[in-house]
Amino acid sequence: MSDTRHTKVLIIGSGPAGYTAGVYASRAMLEPILVQGMEPGGQLTTTTDVENYPGYTEVQGPDLMIKMEEHARAMGTEIIGDIILDLDLSKRPFTAKGDSGTLYTADTVILATGARAKWLGLPSEEKFKGFGVSACATCDGFFYRGQEIVVVGGGNTAVEEALFLTNFASKVTLIHRRDELRAEKILINRLMKNEKIEPLWDHQLEEVVGDDMPLGVTGVRAKHVKTGEITEIPAKGVFIAIGHAPANELVKDVLDTHMGGYVVTKPDSTATSIPGVFAAGDLTDHKYRQAVTSAGMGCMAALEAEHFIAEQDD
Ligand code: FAD
Ligand code: NAP
């Protein structure tokens, strides 16, 4: 039987932005409901060491997110394991349909749906997804003990994944389309010192090759971006780490977006183009995309939702 739940603040997403919004909205006595989505804890649950979240010199991503969840719950956030499938922002109260059948109605909505991994879009990548091709080293690295692995990308994620995968792999080839990494210097230094990692500069992944019976990867073909020369690399696992795109599916047709789909917010604010709807974290941040900045925006969104509700009550 479908159920209807009303809340003053509906928080959609359970990454650092969502949980921080939960802490602040709870402390403002707004009794928020937070819907966790398909990835409770968000992107940090797909990584290992986090070394740049204040208060921790080192913490495991999944542990940090469990602590954030506990914090939000302890302050009074109602945390629900559901996925929002449809959101109607055309009138207040706003309505959101959950996969569970629950209909959520809300005076304000905080969108904190974050970002998801990008793929190259190659047919061979699609064919071997889940059978040797992955976007999550922490999830799948263990399957490649003693094997050769390829990582594609040149940002923090690619470098961290390459380093992490050396715990399992006999060799990791990092394929990057330029000859310069965009990752932080500290990570680049670690990468360059690691004897198991071999960078392949100025190359694009051309094709993942493998067997059909059973389905599995045997290697990749990489193309030099200037000469077109093809290099074949044996590998059992291929990790695509070329960045993330904002998870804007619920709002892309009703809210203003820019820079590849990031939700536009007003300057120095999390307010979107619809009064009462706020956006925080990687969904709106094309620039910094960090746990701490997402948490900061979650705080802002909850404080702005509180002001919005107070103004409506006046
Ligand atoms: P996310 O963490 O992306 O969470 C989004 C949430 O929205 C998820 O809970 C998801 O389930 C939910 N959701 C999505 N759609 C729906 C829906 N329809 N209904 C309900 N819920 C929904 N940053 C750092 O500061 N330090 C690091 O060391 C670091 N390491 C990283 C390592 C990796 C491998 C990756 C991928 C990222 C890393 N980052 C790091 C970046 C950091 O994870 C993000 O900046 C941060 O998680 C963004 O938080 P967020 O709250 O905006 O969203
Ligand atoms: P990113 O910084 O956007 O880097 C993506 C990388 O993939 C870039 O090197 C890019 O190449 C490459 N790329 C993009 N599209 C490609 C394509 N079609 N083919 C080949 N290569 C392609 O993404 P990210 O590394 O996932 O990081 C996302 C955010 O999370 C960043 O803000 C990052 O700082 C943060 N993060 C932080 C940490 C940390 O603090 N320790 C860890 C992980 C992630 P170019 O360089 O040529 O553009």
Side-chain angles (χ1 to χ4, degrees), residues 13-17 36-37 39 43 52 84 113-115 282 289-291 294:
S14 57
Q36 287 181 304
E39 190 176 54
Q43 291 171 66
N52 50 14
I84 301 301
T113 49
D282 279 13
R289 292 170 296 169
Q290 300 293 300
S294 298

Side-chain angles (χ1 to χ4, degrees), residues 98 112 145 225 253 278 313:
R145 273 163 297 165
V225 292
D253 297 330
F278 304 89
D313 291 346

